[in-house]
Amino acid sequence: MADWIDPQDIREWSRRLFALRPILLVLLVSAIFILELRIDWIERALGAYLVTTNVARPESGAIWEKGKQTLTARKTLEQIVTDRQASQRIARDATTFNQIAANVSPDQGVMLSDDHFRKLYLSLPREIAQEIISPFELVRLASEGKWRRTYFEKAGAGLMVYLLDLNNRVLQQLKITPSLLIHFEREQFAQVETLEDLPYFENRVYPADRFFDALEAFPEDVRRSMVPNPERLLRISGQIMRVGISDEAVSGFIEIGFEIINGSRRKVIIVQGHEWAVWRLRSHLEEQKSSADIISDTLEN
């Protein structure tokens, strides 16, 4: 029982201090401390344990959140780059302004060469192309040698076009409205079709003579609002046989389709009239039709 009481003198202190058990304990603690300093075995063991329990632990804490934000940002950046590359590739292959408009995102634009823009411009009918920019103005810009690239960006449902020099300074700013884009699309679609094949003219197709008779009933300025560019129809070879009027108004305009026969070929030319004027013209046509039906019924009886 003597070992469990306090030592009484220095000799007893020394005997207990230099006993085998304290020395072994000191050596063990020293070995653990030295090994930790040299090979970090405690951290490694703790890390190995945490790895084995990683799946079961909840994904929370500052490190988890930072990791999630980094991963999300990386994926978003990759998607943005991929989308931009795809848009640019589609734009380089585009043959119409509508294809560019359909593939340009609201938050990004596409860059094309000046030659590509000129090809798109020249693919349009002359009268329609002039609504974007005068060909003389385009020739002037090209002759100066400053115009090198063209930038397209979304402007609502339309397009803003910037003609740029080598330093990306804007030489000319153009706007392609939604109504023009619709006109481009239907112009290309309608050239090989008949009025019956275009659904927006269904049940609103009139013989050409009745249409022009109705047109003659209005003053010149009103007729110009109904058919804004009659000179375009004069430049087309063939005979106008029928006329269709759409019941869809887009940006204040309504489309009128003229079916033209030239020999064995048939095509439809689309023009856009002002909504208020075309509705007056259509109402007059329907009144003519009703009067003709009444007269026909009277004659039959």
Side-chain angles (χ1 to χ4, degrees):
M1 297 294 295
D3 292 340
W4 296 99
I5 62 176
D6 292 337
Q8 300 297 318
D9 52 31
I10 295 177
R11 182 177 180 181
E12 183 64 22
W13 272 105
S14 301
R15 186 179 68 81
R16 293 191 182 186
L17 182 62
F18 294 104
L20 180 61
R21 184 179 300 172
I23 293 174
L24 290 177
L25 180 61
V26 170
L27 290 175
L28 179 61
V29 172
S30 299
I32 292 173
F33 180 73
I34 293 171
L35 287 174
E36 169 60 20
L37 291 177
R38 294 183 63 84
I39 62 175
D40 299 325
W41 68 273
I42 294 178
E43 286 85 350
R44 292 174 183 270
L46 181 60
Y49 170 74
L50 292 175
V51 168
T52 60
T53 61
N54 190 48
V55 177
R57 285 185 290 122
E59 296 182 2
S60 60
I63 295 178
W64 278 112
E65 291 301 322
K66 187 175 181 179
K68 285 181 180 179
Q69 292 173 2
T70 302
L71 182 61
T72 301
R74 187 182 296 116
K75 289 182 178 179
T76 302
L77 182 60
E78 290 175 354
Q79 188 62 45
I80 291 173
V81 172
T82 301
D83 292 345
R84 184 175 292 273
Q85 290 175 342
S87 297
Q88 191 68 41
R89 184 171 58 254
I90 293 172
R92 284 196 299 266
D93 297 335
T95 57
T96 66
F97 288 111
N98 295 81
Q99 291 176 358
I100 294 176
N103 292 283
V104 175
S105 301
D107 57 343
Q108 64 184 32
V110 294
M111 188 80 76
L112 297 179
S113 67
D114 58 321
D115 287 336
H116 197 159
F117 178 85
R118 279 187 278 188
K119 290 178 181 178
L120 297 176
Y121 180 84
L122 292 172
S123 68
L124 298 172
R126 182 172 57 186
E127 297 80 7
I128 300 177
Q130 193 159 354
E131 295 188 37
I132 300 176
I133 184 174
S134 166
F136 295 105
E137 182 68 15
L138 211 55
V139 169
R140 182 187 66 79
L141 287 169
S143 66
E144 290 176 349
K146 297 179 181 179
W147 176 29
R148 296 301 178 85
R149 54 178 67 94
T150 309
Y151 185 76
F152 293 82
E153 70 176 6
K154 278 284 191 182
L159 285 174
M160 290 299 298
V161 185
Y162 303 91
L163 310 185
L164 310 174
D165 64 9
L166 276 176
N167 297 317
N168 290 330
R169 287 192 292 265
V170 178
L171 302 175
Q172 186 84 22
Q173 179 177 325
L174 312 174
K175 185 173 183 179
I176 302 178
T177 62
S179 61
L180 271 180
L181 288 173
I182 294 173
H183 200 161
F184 297 162
E185 181 179 3
R186 292 188 173 177
E187 175 74 25
Q188 294 154 3
F189 175 65
Q191 285 181 357
V192 293
E193 301 291 338
T194 62
L195 289 171
E196 285 83 5
D197 296 326
L198 301 173
Y200 43 89
F201 293 134
E202 186 177 359
N203 299 324
R204 289 170 297 279
V205 177
Y206 309 93
D209 56 350
R210 181 183 296 178
F211 176 85
F212 288 109
D213 285 344
L215 197 63
E216 285 293 325
F218 296 93
E220 177 70 15
D221 58 337
V222 178
R223 281 185 281 175
R224 282 280 178 179
S225 297
M226 295 171 176
V227 183
N229 194 0
E231 294 82 5
R232 182 184 173 202
L233 298 175
L234 288 175
R235 297 188 186 100
I236 299 170
S237 300
Q239 180 183 359
I240 298 175
M241 302 300 296
R242 295 182 302 165
V243 182
I245 299 178
S246 173
D247 65 345
E248 300 175 8
V250 179
S251 300
F253 291 89
I254 293 180
E255 294 182 341
I256 302 175
F258 294 87
E259 186 177 304
I260 299 172
I261 295 179
N262 186 9
S264 60
R265 299 184 62 185
R266 185 186 298 258
K267 65 178 179 179
V268 173
I269 298 299
I270 304 293
V271 301
Q272 289 183 318
H274 293 274
E275 181 181 0
W276 65 270
V278 176
W279 277 120
R280 287 184 62 183
L281 177 60
R282 184 180 169 191
S283 297
H284 190 77
L285 281 166
E286 293 300 325
E287 289 174 3
Q288 283 185 334
K289 182 179 179 182
S290 299
S291 300
D293 291 341
I294 292 172
I295 295 172
S296 176
D297 292 339
T298 302
L299 292 175
E300 287 178 1
N301 293 331

